[in-house]
Amino acid sequence: MPIADKMVKMVESASMIRKMFEEGIRMKGIYGADNVFDFSLGNPDVPPPAVVKETLINLINNPATSHGYMPNTGYPHVRKAVADYLNKEYNVGLTPDLIVMTVGAAGALNDILRALMNPGEDILVPTPFFVGYNQYAFIASANLKTVASFPDFHLDLTAIEKAITANTRVMLINSPNNPTGVVYHKEELMKLGKILDAASQKFGKRIYMISDEPYRKIAYGVDVPCMFDVYPHTIVLTSYSKELSLAGERIGYLAIHPKAEDAAIIAGAAGVTNTMMYVNAPALFQQVVGALQGVTVDIGIYKRRRDIFCEGLHAAGYEFDVPEGAFYLFPKSPIADDFKFVKILQENKILAVPGTGFGGPGHFRLSYAVPDKTIAGSLDGFKKAFDSVK
Ligand code: PLP
């Protein structure tokens, strides 16, 4: 093998996702783009708000706009804008030195995990979970330890408590959740905070919470609890990929609670890991988002799609709870083998992702970051696929 032994498995699992993507392209070539219903990718199609383009044009036309190196954690004025915004939202006394501007949420996860994890230590994550976590844990030489959630995908706190050991360094939480769309309740999170604190005392080692929140703003009439209130030893990270539809521009940040144990050391280390991999977050888009704190895409578009899709799939017989956030559905596969059912969907020109990859076998994931007509056009095929196995 010309590549590192440890990379073989990682490359195989990455090429599985690529195969799915290529399959979509192949099918669209045969049947026409309008006749293939692709729900496989969480790539926002809702346009960024007009003010994004205006801000970008103003920045480009302004000779004072910077395109050079900066402190590796990001422009001070941008970090201040982020800290000010978070303080207005959460009132936690964040200072710019506790913010690191990053290359999306993925960059933030890479930075913080490489800063916190010793080789072989555990990152606990409830299932189902975002597939990228496998890769970020791998790069941090850490062990991703999964804990099954309840059938409604809320946290099984007893199971989490049992899974914590002296080897646990991080609890990784993602709400609103990819792939389930679940938004965890304040009560379950507060209990989780207490469990983490008690376990940290018991093992004489601080366990940190990492809250991965790229979908925070995409919630439908429910409150997404502030994770800084849940547990002070928390690092919140997010991006503008989904809330401003800027996924390709690779811009996000991480923010460390000022009361987190050793907050300043962690911020310093995350700044260094940032430098080791990407040097700094993209300069132009730091300046764009710095000026647009609190701006989001029209969330009503996603809500409308969720409602149409849920109604159509429920009518066809699929079982799932209506999710409260993000832009994914995670229905139960009508047969136990989710890979096989995804193949059956494909025969009906529908692209979905098997739940097994997310640690949720017996389910499949659908992204409704697609035009309304893709949802409407797919419903017959979903019904046919369901009826064919019943
Ligand atoms: N975390 C979750 C839960 C995601 O769904 C994604 C992307 O889909 C990421 C992190 C990575 O986000 P970004 O594109 O901002 O790096």
Coordinates of all heavy atoms in Angstrom, one line a residue, residues 42-43 103-109 129-131 133 136 174-179 212-215 237-242 246-248 250-252 327-328 365, ligand 1:
G42 N -26.0 17.8 3.0 CA -26.5 19.0 3.8 C -25.9 20.2 3.3 O -25.2 21.0 4.1
N43 N -26.0 20.5 2.0 CA -25.4 21.7 1.4 C -26.5 22.7 1.2 O -27.3 22.6 0.2 CB -24.7 21.2 0.1 CG -23.8 22.3 -0.5 OD1 -23.5 23.3 0.2 ND2 -23.4 22.2 -1.7
V103 N -11.7 27.6 10.3 CA -12.1 27.2 9.0 C -13.4 26.4 9.1 O -13.3 25.2 9.1 CB -10.9 26.5 8.3 CG1 -11.3 26.0 6.9 CG2 -9.7 27.4 8.2
G104 N -14.5 27.1 9.3 CA -15.8 26.4 9.5 C -15.8 25.7 10.9 O -14.9 25.8 11.7
A105 N -17.0 25.0 11.1 CA -17.1 24.2 12.3 C -16.1 23.0 12.3 O -15.6 22.6 13.4 CB -18.5 23.7 12.5
A106 N -15.9 22.5 11.1 CA -14.9 21.4 11.1 C -13.6 21.8 11.5 O -12.9 21.1 12.3 CB -14.9 20.8 9.6
G107 N -13.1 23.0 11.1 CA -11.9 23.5 11.5 C -11.8 23.7 13.0 O -10.8 23.4 13.7
A108 N -12.9 24.2 13.6 CA -13.0 24.5 15.0 C -12.9 23.1 15.8 O -12.2 23.0 16.8 CB -14.3 25.2 15.4
L109 N -13.6 22.1 15.3 CA -13.6 20.8 15.9 C -12.1 20.2 15.9 O -11.6 19.7 16.9 CB -14.5 19.8 15.3 CG -16.0 20.0 15.7 CD1 -17.0 19.5 14.6 CD2 -16.3 19.3 17.0
F129 N -24.7 10.4 15.3 CA -23.8 11.5 15.3 C -23.3 11.8 13.9 O -23.4 11.0 13.0 CB -22.7 11.2 16.3 CG -21.8 10.1 15.9 CD1 -20.7 10.3 15.1 CD2 -22.1 8.8 16.2 CE1 -19.9 9.2 14.6 CE2 -21.4 7.7 15.8 CZ -20.2 7.9 15.0
F130 N -22.8 13.0 13.8 CA -22.3 13.5 12.5 C -21.0 12.7 12.1 O -20.1 12.6 12.9 CB -22.0 15.0 12.6 CG -21.2 15.6 11.5 CD1 -21.7 15.5 10.2 CD2 -20.0 16.3 11.7 CE1 -21.0 16.1 9.1 CE2 -19.3 16.9 10.6 CZ -19.8 16.7 9.3
V131 N -21.0 12.1 10.9 CA -19.9 11.2 10.5 C -18.5 11.9 10.6 O -17.6 11.2 10.8 CB -20.1 10.7 9.1 CG1 -21.2 9.6 9.1 CG2 -20.5 11.7 8.1
Y133 N -17.2 13.3 12.8 CA -16.5 13.1 14.1 C -15.5 12.0 14.1 O -14.5 12.1 14.8 CB -17.5 12.9 15.2 CG -18.5 14.0 15.5 CD1 -19.7 13.8 16.2 CD2 -18.2 15.3 15.0 CE1 -20.5 14.9 16.5 CE2 -19.1 16.3 15.3 CZ -20.3 16.1 16.0 OH -21.1 17.2 16.3
Y136 N -12.3 13.6 12.8 CA -11.7 14.6 13.7 C -11.1 13.9 14.9 O -10.0 14.2 15.3 CB -12.7 15.6 14.2 CG -13.6 16.2 13.1 CD1 -14.9 16.6 13.3 CD2 -13.1 16.4 11.8 CE1 -15.7 17.1 12.3 CE2 -13.9 16.9 10.8 CZ -15.2 17.3 11.1 OH -16.0 17.8 10.1
N174 N -24.2 17.8 19.9 CA -24.6 18.5 18.7 C -26.1 18.7 18.7 O -26.8 17.7 18.5 CB -24.1 17.7 17.5 CG -24.7 18.2 16.2 OD1 -25.1 17.3 15.4 ND2 -24.7 19.4 15.9
S175 N -26.5 19.9 18.9 CA -28.0 20.2 19.0 C -28.2 21.6 18.4 O -27.5 22.5 18.9 CB -28.4 20.1 20.4 OG -29.8 20.5 20.6
P176 N -29.1 21.8 17.5 CA -29.9 20.8 16.7 C -29.0 19.8 16.0 O -27.9 20.2 15.6 CB -30.7 21.7 15.7 CG -30.8 23.1 16.3 CD -29.5 23.2 17.1
N177 N -29.5 18.6 16.0 CA -28.6 17.5 15.7 C -28.6 17.1 14.2 O -29.7 17.1 13.5 CB -29.0 16.3 16.5 CG -28.2 15.1 16.3 OD1 -28.4 14.2 15.5 ND2 -27.1 15.0 17.1
N178 N -27.5 16.8 13.7 CA -27.3 16.1 12.4 C -26.9 14.7 12.7 O -25.9 14.5 13.4 CB -26.2 16.8 11.6 CG -25.9 16.1 10.3 OD1 -26.6 15.2 9.9 ND2 -24.8 16.5 9.6
P179 N -27.7 13.7 12.5 CA -28.7 13.6 11.4 C -30.2 13.6 11.9 O -31.0 13.6 11.0 CB -28.5 12.2 10.9 CG -28.1 11.4 12.1 CD -27.3 12.4 13.0
D212 N -21.1 21.5 19.5 CA -21.0 21.7 18.1 C -22.4 22.2 17.5 O -23.3 21.5 17.5 CB -20.6 20.4 17.4 CG -20.6 20.5 15.9 OD1 -20.3 21.6 15.4 OD2 -20.7 19.4 15.2
E213 N -22.4 23.5 17.2 CA -23.7 24.2 17.0 C -23.9 24.8 15.6 O -24.5 25.9 15.6 CB -23.9 25.3 18.1 CG -23.7 24.8 19.5 CD -24.0 25.8 20.5 OE1 -24.4 27.0 20.2 OE2 -24.0 25.5 21.7
P214 N -23.5 24.2 14.5 CA -23.7 24.9 13.3 C -25.2 25.1 12.9 O -25.5 26.0 12.0 CB -23.0 24.1 12.2 CG -22.8 22.7 12.9 CD -22.8 22.9 14.3
Y215 N -26.1 24.4 13.6 CA -27.5 24.5 13.2 C -28.3 25.3 14.3 O -29.5 25.3 14.3 CB -28.2 23.1 13.1 CG -27.5 22.3 12.0 CD1 -26.5 21.4 12.4 CD2 -27.7 22.5 10.7 CE1 -25.8 20.6 11.4 CE2 -27.1 21.7 9.7 CZ -26.1 20.8 10.1 OH -25.5 20.1 9.1
L237 N -18.8 25.8 19.6 CA -18.2 26.1 18.3 C -19.3 26.1 17.2 O -20.3 25.4 17.4 CB -17.1 25.2 18.0 CG -17.4 23.7 17.9 CD1 -17.8 23.3 16.5 CD2 -16.2 22.9 18.4
T238 N -19.1 26.8 16.2 CA -20.1 26.9 15.2 C -19.5 27.4 13.9 O -18.3 27.6 13.8 CB -21.3 27.9 15.6 OG1 -22.3 27.8 14.7 CG2 -20.8 29.3 15.8
S239 N -20.4 27.7 12.9 CA -19.9 28.2 11.6 C -21.0 29.0 11.0 O -22.1 29.0 11.5 CB -19.5 27.1 10.7 OG -20.6 26.4 10.2
Y240 N -20.7 29.7 9.9 CA -21.7 30.4 9.1 C -22.1 29.6 7.9 O -22.8 30.1 7.0 CB -21.1 31.8 8.7 CG -20.7 32.6 10.0 CD1 -19.4 32.4 10.5 CD2 -21.6 33.4 10.6 CE1 -19.0 33.1 11.7 CE2 -21.2 34.0 11.8 CZ -19.9 33.9 12.3 OH -19.6 34.6 13.5
S241 N -21.7 28.3 7.9 CA -22.0 27.4 6.7 C -23.5 27.3 6.5 O -24.0 27.3 5.4 CB -21.4 26.1 7.0 OG -20.0 26.1 7.1
K242 N -24.3 27.1 7.6 CA -25.7 26.8 7.4 C -26.5 28.1 7.7 O -27.4 28.4 7.0 CB -26.1 25.7 8.4 CG -25.1 24.6 8.6 CD -25.1 23.6 7.4 CE -23.9 22.7 7.5 NZ -23.9 21.6 6.6
L246 N -23.0 29.8 3.8 CA -21.7 30.1 3.3 C -20.8 28.9 3.5 O -19.6 29.0 3.8 CB -21.1 31.3 4.1 CG -21.8 32.6 3.8 CD1 -21.2 33.7 4.7 CD2 -21.7 33.1 2.4
A247 N -21.3 27.7 3.3 CA -20.6 26.4 3.6 C -19.2 26.4 2.8 O -18.2 26.0 3.4 CB -21.4 25.2 3.2
G248 N -19.2 26.9 1.6 CA -17.9 26.8 0.8 C -16.9 27.8 1.2 O -15.8 27.7 0.8
R250 N -15.9 28.5 4.2 CA -15.1 27.9 5.3 C -14.9 28.9 6.4 O -13.7 29.3 6.7 CB -13.8 27.3 4.8 CG -13.9 26.4 3.5 CD -14.9 25.3 3.7 NE -14.7 24.5 4.9 CZ -15.6 24.1 5.7 NH1 -16.9 24.4 5.6 NH2 -15.3 23.4 6.8
I251 N -15.9 29.4 7.1 CA -15.7 30.3 8.1 C -16.6 30.0 9.4 O -17.7 29.7 9.2 CB -15.9 31.8 7.6 CG1 -15.6 32.8 8.7 CG2 -17.3 32.0 7.1 CD1 -14.1 33.0 8.9
G252 N -15.9 30.0 10.5 CA -16.6 29.7 11.8 C -15.8 30.2 13.0 O -14.8 30.9 12.8
F327 N -31.8 20.7 9.2 CA -32.6 20.4 8.0 C -32.5 19.0 7.5 O -32.3 18.7 6.4 CB -32.3 21.4 6.9 CG -30.9 21.8 6.6 CD1 -30.0 20.8 6.3 CD2 -30.5 23.1 6.7 CE1 -28.6 21.1 6.1 CE2 -29.1 23.4 6.4 CZ -28.2 22.4 6.1
Y328 N -32.7 18.1 8.5 CA -32.6 16.7 8.2 C -33.8 15.9 8.8 O -34.3 16.3 9.9 CB -31.4 16.0 8.9 CG -30.1 16.7 8.4 CD1 -29.4 17.6 9.3 CD2 -29.5 16.5 7.2 CE1 -28.3 18.3 8.9 CE2 -28.4 17.2 6.8 CZ -27.7 18.0 7.7 OH -26.6 18.7 7.3
R365 N -31.0 8.9 6.4 CA -31.1 10.4 6.6 C -31.4 11.0 5.3 O -31.0 10.7 4.2 CB -29.7 10.9 7.0 CG -29.8 12.4 7.5 CD -28.5 13.0 7.6 NE -27.9 13.3 6.3 CZ -26.8 14.1 6.1 NH1 -26.2 14.7 7.1 NH2 -26.4 14.4 4.8
Ligands
PLP1 N1 -20.8 19.6 12.6 C1 -22.0 19.2 12.1 C2 -23.0 18.6 13.0 C3 -22.2 19.3 10.7 O1 -23.4 18.8 10.3 C4 -21.3 19.9 9.9 C5 -21.5 20.0 8.5 O2 -22.4 19.5 7.9 C6 -20.1 20.3 10.5 C7 -19.9 20.2 11.9 C8 -19.0 20.9 9.7 O3 -19.5 22.2 9.3 P1 -18.6 23.2 8.5 O4 -19.0 23.0 7.1 O5 -19.0 24.6 9.0 O6 -17.2 22.9 8.7

